Structure formats: structure tokens, C-alpha cells
């Protein structure tokens, strides 16, 4: 991981990913931990982040969900313990995949089904990139062997700490 200062209160954190076929991510939106500098200033909350994802080799499919469905996708009441991350859905990935595979959407909460049907699906091949805006929920699956990808999360301190609490979750007019 590399961290770079960029334009005052902005930061970029980058990661290199390697994997094989059928590697899935859970349904989530991107968050990153503040750097030590910001933690020392009392900004301890995770920050929502924008994501620029480059597929270097292989192929990966992304399912993207609009922030307008934030509360429904989060399904907080299904989270089994307090250690379950806020940015990961309470609906288990296995349940989503089983419902899609069998066509039995009744296996999922009804409000969740409506939200996940309002999605964008994008398949990236080597050399292609995808921008995922802050607060957009997504999940992905590698569809070929020997996948490599590189991504950078961008976040600003203006979204941290008390500013995040005042700002709250995305509103319909922010979409």
C-alpha cells in the first residue's frame, strides 16, 4: 500500500490485487481508515472513499448499486454482532448468489430485492478502468483465472470526524 498527500486535505491509498476465477467480494461501499496524522487530530471514523479500479489482466464483473438505496442495502438489523463493518451489507453474499442462481428472490428481504434489481453491471477486461463514486454500493467477481488489478481510493479530510456526522448519508439530490 502506498499513501500520498495530494492537494492539501486529500489523500490517495492504492492497493494491488491478485486472484483466480470465482473470487467474490461482499456487497459493500468503500471506506478507508484515516492516516495516523488525522487520527492524532481526533479523526478516528472510517471515511467514505471514491475508487478508481484498473483491471491489469483477466476479467472482473462489478455490480453497482445507487446510494439512494443505502439504508436498504445496508440491512443493519441483519448484522449478527457489533463487529460487523458498517460499510458491508447485513445480507450475506452467499444468500444473494443463491437467490440469483435459483431465481428465488423470495430468499432475500423484499425491500432488498427491489434495491438490487436497480443496478448497473460492468465487466472489465485487461486495460480497462472503472470509477466508483463515494457511497456507491458494489460487489465483484473475477470471471477468469490469473486476475490482477490495481485500485486507488481517494478521500478527503472534509468527510472525516465531525464533518462526516454533520454531513450524514447521501441524499437523493446528491445522486
Amino acid at each position: 500500500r502506498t499513501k500520498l498527500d495530494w492537494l492539501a486535505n486529500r489523500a490517495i491509498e492504492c492497493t494491488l490485487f491478485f486472484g483466480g476465477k470465482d473470487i467474490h467480494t461482499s456487497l459493500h461501499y468503500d471506506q478507508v481508515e484515516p492516516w495516523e496524522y488525522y487520527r492524532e487530530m481526533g479523526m478516528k471514523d472510517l471515511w467514505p472513499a471514491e475508487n478508481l479500479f484498473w483491471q491489469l489482466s483477466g476479467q472482473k464483473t462489478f455490480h453497482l448499486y445507487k446510494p439512494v438505496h443505502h439504508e436498504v442495502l445496508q440491512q443493519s438489523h441483519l448484522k449478527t454482532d457489533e463487529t460487523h463493518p458498517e460499510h458491508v451489507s447485513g445480507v450475506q453474499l452467499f444468500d444473494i448468489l443463491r437467490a440469483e442462481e435459483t431465481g428465488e428472490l423470495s430468499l432475500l428481504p423484499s425491500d432488498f430485492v427491489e434495491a438490487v434489481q436497480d443496478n448497473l453491471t460492468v465487466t472489465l477486461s485487461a486495460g480497462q478502468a472503472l470509477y466508483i463514486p463515494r457511497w456507491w454500493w458494489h460487489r465483484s467477481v473475477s470471471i477468469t483465472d490469473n486476475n490482477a488489478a490495481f485500485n486507488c481510493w481517494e478521500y478527503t479530510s472534509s468527510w472525516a470526524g465531525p464533518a462526516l456526522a454533520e454531513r450524514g448519508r447521501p441524499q437523493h439530490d446528491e445522486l
Side-chain angles (χ1 to χ4, degrees):
R1 286 187 155 179
T2 303
K3 297 180 178 178
L4 307 169
D5 282 327
W6 182 61
L7 295 177
N9 292 326
R10 294 181 180 272
I12 296 176
E13 186 171 319
C14 300
T15 305
L16 190 58
F17 297 97
F18 296 97
K21 186 176 181 177
D22 294 326
I23 302 296
H24 293 261
T25 64
S26 349
L27 178 59
H28 69 283
Y29 65 90
D30 291 321
Q31 282 190 336
V32 293
E33 288 187 45
W35 297 357
E36 186 61 32
Y37 169 79
Y38 293 114
R39 283 195 297 269
E40 289 171 6
M41 293 173 47
M43 298 177 186
K44 298 182 181 353
D45 294 333
L46 293 175
W47 301 354
E50 295 174 298
N51 184 347
L52 187 55
F53 187 96
W54 290 275
Q55 188 70 28
L56 302 176
S57 68
Q59 290 184 311
K60 183 173 279 199
T61 296
F62 283 84
H63 301 275
L64 302 131
Y65 308 92
K66 299 173 185 174
V68 69
H69 301 299
H70 180 82
E71 296 301 324
V72 172
L73 294 173
Q74 193 170 38
Q75 294 286 322
S76 308
H77 64 283
L78 296 177
K79 296 182 180 185
T80 54
D81 62 64
E82 59 194 44
T83 62
H84 193 110
E86 174 186 320
H87 69 287
V88 177
S89 178
V91 176
Q92 298 298 311
L93 178 64
F94 175 78
D95 294 333
I96 298 170
L97 297 175
R98 185 171 41 145
E100 286 178 348
E101 192 175 288
T102 63
E104 295 182 41
L105 297 179
S106 61
L107 298 171
L108 302 171
S110 59
D111 56 347
F112 186 84
V113 171
E114 185 178 320
V116 296
Q117 288 177 331
D118 184 20
N119 77 83
L120 304 169
T121 301
V122 176
T123 299
L124 297 180
S125 296
Q128 294 181 320
L130 174 65
Y131 168 71
I132 303 172
R134 180 180 288 131
W135 297 112
W136 275 67
W137 286 78
H138 55 282
R139 61 187 175 92
S140 65
V141 59
S142 299
I143 56 177
T144 58
D145 286 325
N146 302 317
N147 280 275
F150 178 78
N151 86 313
C152 290
W153 290 289
E154 187 273 336
Y155 51 98
T156 66
S157 63
S158 65
W159 280 84
L164 178 58
E166 290 171 20
R167 177 107 170 100
R169 299 287 179 234
Q171 303 299 313
H172 292 273
D173 60 351
E174 296 180 57
L175 307 178

